[in-house]
Amino acid sequence: MTETHLDIPSFDDYDEVNSPRPAATDFDTVVDGAMSRRNFLGGGVAFGAAALVMGSTALTPLRAQASDRLGFNAVATNSMDTVTVPSGYNWQIVAKWGDPLWSGAADFEQETRGTGETQERAFGDNNDGMAMFAYGERTILTVNNEYTNRSIIYGNRDSKLPENADDVRKGKAAHGVSVVEVAQDNGHWSIVKDSPFNRRITADTPVALTGPAAGHDLLKTEADPSGLSALGTWNNCGNGRTPWGTYLACEENFNGYFSASADGWEQDAAQKRYGINKEDWGYAWATADERFDVSKHPNEPHRCGYIVEIDPLDPTSTPKKRTALGRFKHENAEVVLANNGQVVVYMGDDERGEFLYKFVSAGSYTVGGDNTDLLEDGTLYVAKFHDNLRGEWLALTEPATGMNNKAEICVMTRQAASAVGATTMDRPEWISANPNKIEAYCCLTNNKNRGKKPNKGGDETPVGGPNPRAGNNYGQIVRWVPDGGDHGNTAFAWDLFVVAGNPHVHEDDYAGSSNITKENTFNSPDGLAFDSTGLLWIQTDGKYSNEGDYVGQGNNQMLVGDPDSGEIRRFMVGPRECEITGITWSPDRRSLFVGIQHPGEKGDSHYPDGGSSVPRSTVIAIRRDDGGLIG
Ligand code: FEO
Ligand code: CA
Ligand code: CA
């Protein structure tokens, strides 16, 4: 069946509809601010729009050099409806949306795309962040199922939307997390049906609320007057993993599932900041589950937007929402240790003009000790970048934020960060720390509003610092080195690893930094992970029109960067209308697992099965033809 071609707004665009550009914000005023700061610095490092062509230290820190370290032949861009990998590599499908996890469960049905019951026993939709865990000889893959494309999962309905309670049940079950044992047979990976580790966590699975906000009035609802236990997790984007063997799922666009049925309902300032609106984004969950009606249950949205800690090796364990790590549109959670053993978690808030955070645990990690509650308590910090390539982490304390207690800071985290004057960023996506060096990298995927419009809290978004271009449609990757070689330090130095751009179209700032060429051009870096050798894998979630500003960039892709030389080379191209997101390795590092999310989101893909089949998100494994190590 051919999908209707729908012009589907992105997550950010949904919020945009409800947050139009205020007339009071004058683009010129904002740009003038950045310019005068340049003048103030006089003669020093140049910032802002002109800096790219001037070759400033900040914006072209690296000159790409040919190196053998990347070790593969670059893949050219294309717009084909399949996966392309370099010569000498091969790929295979490991798991697809709707694959049953138990032998009694039904196979995916093309015509109906499943029911509530079959989806509850099957691999979820739109796989995103993932991590592999070893249990003896067994390998357990834990995968976020971020969201659903309504036009695909409900493609059997005339409206292309959920039309009854079972449709909503199916949608809720397609979200959450899939825990699946996988095994290799003759080099081919597949799901081990009926494994005792197999588990589906959905939007209805009981979860515990933990940390400073647990039990606070803001988290209490009619169904849970204790404020200690909630139901489910959804819209988990990137992920994290802890040194003590747990998985972190990161709740991102949780707001799009809520709606308000009451006549005359209007959002308050806090709801506006988090994008809670009268209409949901087409999921219709409130039609079958009243807790998603904010006019009846206004505290329910306070119970999501967190990092969720899951023990993938204990299928009976209760997932824990860790409120200490703050409430916002979490992208991923990169866990490292400070030199004194405190746990440091770097986290981005993926919305235009929102912030970059880090959490530092109160307790310290001890090898072989009880580390199970290290994410229960600690201090949240937010990043402030200065134009002189220095930066600092500002603690979100009661005196600094003007808030009454830690619980409020953990629930209204965006407002707390605004109060301390954090730097508004170009949509912080994944963060990854270099295993060979004390430094971390973050994808700033794009921000069409940079220099044009404040964030939803009214914070200005001036051009400058790590966000150097107005109307930034290509994105960049910022990196920072904490002072003293210690992730626990609150001071850091920063620069830009790459400013993406398109030299086919532009010769100015929008051509990108010097390590962008016509051969490796891309837009909208999103997924990001270092491998064990210290190479940086970059995944994109951007425009795939291959027209206009995006000519020669083709479908979304995955590239590999050398953090030392700055060289970037394209490793993979995905099928049509997908994004590439999620990356993990087999324990022997001979298989690289990568996520293909939302192929055909606008109706132009039949990946992976071809013909007239329904497009399905998949986890694939990439291997070298010679069986060698891959990262
Ligand atoms: Fe789910 Fe920010 O991407
Ligand atoms: Ca993402
Ligand atoms: Ca994205």
Side-chain angles (χ1 to χ4, degrees):
M1 180 183 288
T2 305
E3 296 292 337
T4 310
H5 186 103
L6 300 173
D7 192 14
I8 299 167
S10 68
F11 284 155
D12 243 28
D13 289 336
Y14 269 106
D15 284 338
E16 204 66 18
V17 167
N18 296 290
S19 184
R21 177 182 169 182
T25 301
D26 184 341
F27 170 59
D28 294 332
T29 310
V30 176
V31 173
D32 281 352
M35 292 296 290
S36 49
R37 206 167 40 254
R38 266 207 304 279
N39 293 340
F40 173 75
L41 286 166
V45 178
F47 291 91
L52 281 173
V53 285
M54 292 166 64
S56 80
T57 310
L59 298 177
T60 53
L62 298 159
R63 192 139 298 276
Q65 298 161 350
S67 81
D68 292 322
R69 202 170 160 225
L70 299 180
F72 61 90
N73 296 322
V75 168
T77 60
N78 69 65
S79 299
M80 299 190 295
D81 198 23
T82 188
V83 174
T84 310
V85 295
S87 55
Y89 293 79
N90 59 78
W91 67 279
Q92 56 177 271
I93 291 169
V94 180
K96 294 185 276 198
W97 163 45
D99 280 349
L101 306 190
W102 291 275
S103 53
D107 285 331
F108 181 78
E109 234 225 337
Q110 290 279 330
E111 191 58 35
T112 63
R113 298 117 203 260
T115 65
E117 183 182 3
T118 63
Q119 183 61 70
E120 284 165 359
R121 297 176 60 71
F123 195 75
D125 200 0
N126 281 23
N127 47 272
D128 204 303
M130 57 182 162
M132 189 69 85
F133 296 83
Y135 183 85
E137 294 295 303
R138 308 175 83 155
T139 44
I140 318 299
L141 184 62
T142 306
V143 190
N144 291 341
N145 297 113
E146 188 184 25
Y147 70 107
T148 63
N149 297 94
R150 279 71 74 204
S151 64
I152 295 175
I153 191 173
Y154 304 119
N156 57 324
R157 302 292 184 209
D158 290 341
S159 65
K160 312 291 184 197
L161 290 168
E163 293 186 353
N164 58 42
D166 193 66
D167 283 350
V168 173
R169 179 181 167 189
K170 176 169 82 170
K172 289 165 84 181
H175 284 72
V177 178
S178 297
V179 184
V180 291
E181 180 174 353
V182 291
Q184 237 183 145
D185 184 20
N186 285 325
H188 195 95
W189 290 95
S190 59
I191 292 172
V192 179
K193 281 188 188 175
D194 304 316
S195 163
F197 294 101
N198 290 358
R199 179 182 192 187
R200 280 306 323 281
I201 294 166
T202 73
D204 288 314
T205 303
V207 301
L209 298 165
T210 79
H216 189 275
D217 282 351
L218 283 167
L219 268 54
K220 293 175 181 169
T221 62
E222 199 175 301
D224 171 32
S226 72
L228 295 172
S229 76
L231 288 180
T233 181
W234 55 91
N235 213 293
N236 290 282
C237 191
N239 70 290
R241 68 186 304 159
T242 66
W244 52 96
T246 57
Y247 180 81
L248 302 179
C250 307
E251 296 179 331
E252 192 186 21
N253 292 288
F254 64 89
N255 56 314
Y257 301 78
F258 292 95
S259 56
S261 66
D263 287 343
W265 179 89
E266 284 190 24
Q267 61 180 184
D268 61 25
Q271 289 165 330
K272 182 180 181 205
R273 186 67 189 271
Y274 282 91
I276 306 295
N277 291 302
K278 185 159 178 60
E279 307 286 338
D280 70 11
W281 295 356
Y283 298 104
W285 288 7
T287 63
D289 186 345
E290 194 187 277
R291 70 189 159 108
F292 291 95
D293 184 341
V294 289
S295 54
K296 292 180 178 159
H297 304 286
N299 280 350
E300 196 65 43
H302 299 156
R303 293 146 64 88
C304 40
Y306 296 109
I307 299 289
V308 189
E309 186 171 12
I310 295 166
D311 183 353
L313 302 184
D314 179 3
T316 66
S317 60
T318 302
K320 295 173 180 171
K321 293 202 177 190
R322 297 300 195 183
T323 68
L325 280 71
R327 174 172 165 267
F328 45 89
K329 293 188 177 181
H330 281 284
E331 184 67 25
N332 83 329
E334 178 69 345
V335 183
V336 291
L337 294 178
N339 291 351
N340 66 1
Q342 284 177 292
V343 179
V344 175
V345 188
Y346 289 117
M347 302 173 287
D349 182 352
D350 179 13
E351 190 170 311
R352 298 186 186 106
E354 289 295 341
F355 308 122
L356 193 60
Y357 295 87
K358 81 167 177 176
F359 165 86
V360 180
S361 65
S364 294
Y365 175 75
T366 47
V367 177
D370 179 7
N371 299 295
T372 50
D373 280 325
L374 282 174
L375 302 184
E376 183 73 13
D377 191 27
T379 303
L380 264 177
Y381 296 82
V382 67
K384 178 139 186 133
F385 290 82
H386 300 294
D387 282 353
N388 62 356
L389 303 180
R390 298 283 303 161
E392 59 193 308
W393 293 101
L394 306 174
L396 300 180
T397 61
E398 290 93 327
T401 62
M403 291 192 172
N404 295 310
N405 50 55
K406 219 165 177 173
E408 286 183 12
I409 293 167
C410 292
V411 179
M412 301 297 174
T413 309
R414 285 180 165 180
Q415 294 92 322
S418 287
V420 301
T423 301
T424 58
M425 306 295 285
D426 286 349
R427 297 186 53 199
E429 301 254 20
W430 290 48
I431 300 167
S432 187
N434 190 336
N436 297 334
K437 198 174 163 189
I438 304 296
E439 62 176 6
Y441 292 58
C442 176
C443 289
L444 302 172
T445 192
N446 58 54
N447 182 2
K448 67 182 181 186
N449 293 340
R450 172 61 57 186
K452 302 183 177 184
K453 182 179 164 181
N455 71 11
K456 285 215 294 292
D459 304 317
E460 295 295 345
T461 64
V463 173
N467 310 285
R469 287 180 300 197
N472 174 23
N473 58 338
Y474 293 121
Q476 64 268 11
I477 298 178
V478 63
R479 63 179 169 186
W480 58 93
V481 179
D483 282 9
D486 184 0
H487 284 294
N489 204 308
T490 57
F492 60 89
W494 67 269
D495 70 2
L496 294 171
F497 172 65
V498 62
V499 180
N502 194 344
H504 292 294
V505 188
H506 300 287
E507 293 183 345
D508 59 6
D509 314 347
Y510 297 82
S513 49
S514 63
N515 48 353
I516 291 294
T517 65
K518 287 180 179 172
E519 284 68 47
N520 70 8
T521 178
F522 65 94
N523 74 86
S524 306
D526 184 339
L528 193 68
F530 274 98
D531 66 23
S532 64
T533 73
L535 291 176
L536 185 63
W537 297 72
I538 303 164
Q539 304 177 317
T540 72
D541 169 22
K543 294 284 197 294
Y544 41 69
S545 65
N546 209 33
E547 295 175 349
D549 271 354
Y550 310 102
V551 158
Q553 296 189 330
N555 293 345
N556 276 306
Q557 53 189 277
M558 182 165 72
L559 309 101
V560 186
D562 178 339
D564 298 324
S565 70
E567 186 182 8
I568 295 172
R569 194 177 294 172
R570 187 178 303 105
F571 180 85
M572 180 187 131
V573 178
R576 290 186 194 144
E577 299 181 355
C578 78
E579 73 174 87
I580 310 299
T581 186
I583 181 166
T584 190
W585 283 263
S586 60
D588 68 5
R589 303 198 87 83
R590 293 177 194 279
S591 297
L592 166 62
F593 294 79
V594 174
I596 308 294
Q597 195 198 58
H598 67 67
E601 65 172 353
K602 294 184 178 176
D604 185 23
S605 171
H606 298 286
Y607 168 90
D609 297 323
S612 58
S613 64
V614 175
R616 293 160 74 184
S617 293
T618 56
V619 174
I620 65 170
I622 300 171
R623 294 168 53 82
R624 291 173 59 112
D625 291 345
D626 65 7
L629 299 173
I630 177 170

